[in-house]
Amino acid sequence: VYKRQDYDLPEFEPNLGANPAIINTNTTIRPYDATYYAEEGRAFSSGDLYYHNNAIYRFNGELDDSDEPVLGKFSTLITGIQVDAGATLSLATNNSSFNINLVNDMVNNGTVTTINLLITDTDVDTDNRPNLTINSVGYLATGAIDLVGFSKDYPNGRSLNINSSYISNSGNINTSGYSSNETDATSGGDSGNINLYTEVFVENNGALSANGGGSETDYAGEGGSINFESNLLIANNGALTVNGGT
């Protein structure tokens, strides 16, 4: 049970539901794609997690009459997610945002990030990484969310939206833009935004950063914004930084 002594919060316990995903090693969750799994050495196996219609499922091995996987069965829906310390959960899509919809909680004690969806071994990144939206009953974290701009070609940080009944965050969240050096000879990246929206309370003890990337040769990137919204209580004890690049 989680309690705070210096201000009153409702008591709560994390609830991952009947079919949780426990991430204890580095894991990528991606949509099922037959072309991807046709590559040598890849298999879509019973127990694998996959992304389908803005939700995450666990494949149960069932095939249809054409020997294609049966996707999106309600009984295989992931109800909650826990990312353990030391593990990184990479969420892959070719859409502008990876949207997680959970009927229970998300607990993040590791690292969560987004990546572009690559199908074949010869595919390369062609865009900034996706934004991230988490819709859950609760979000509890000592771990990080990393949405920073990742290269001189795709320098912009991406935005984070968490919509929950309650948020208790002690982890670092970074949506900052990429900083360009003299060799890069490009502009700094713009930051994404950090939006934490709750029905009951949001408590933040982590470092939240939404800074524009610097540039040694060109324009610096613009800073983003950090927004908290709650119907009951907002408590922030963490460092919030929003700066333009230099």
Side-chain angles (χ1 to χ4, degrees), residues 13-37:
E13 295 181 358
N15 178 9
L16 300 179
N19 189 32
I22 308 299
I23 308 299
N24 50 30
T25 60
N26 292 346
T27 300
T28 298
I29 297 178
R30 56 187 295 128
Y32 172 79
D33 184 280
T35 302
Y36 175 82
Y37 286 102

Side-chain angles (χ1 to χ4, degrees), residues 9 12 16 24 33 48 53 74 109 124 151 158 162 214 225 227 230 235-236:
L9 291 178
F12 61 94
L16 300 179
N24 50 30
D33 184 280
D48 285 353
N53 290 341
F74 182 77
N109 297 319
V124 296
S151 74
R158 309 311 283 163
I162 302 180
S225 64
N227 304 291
S230 175
N236 179 63

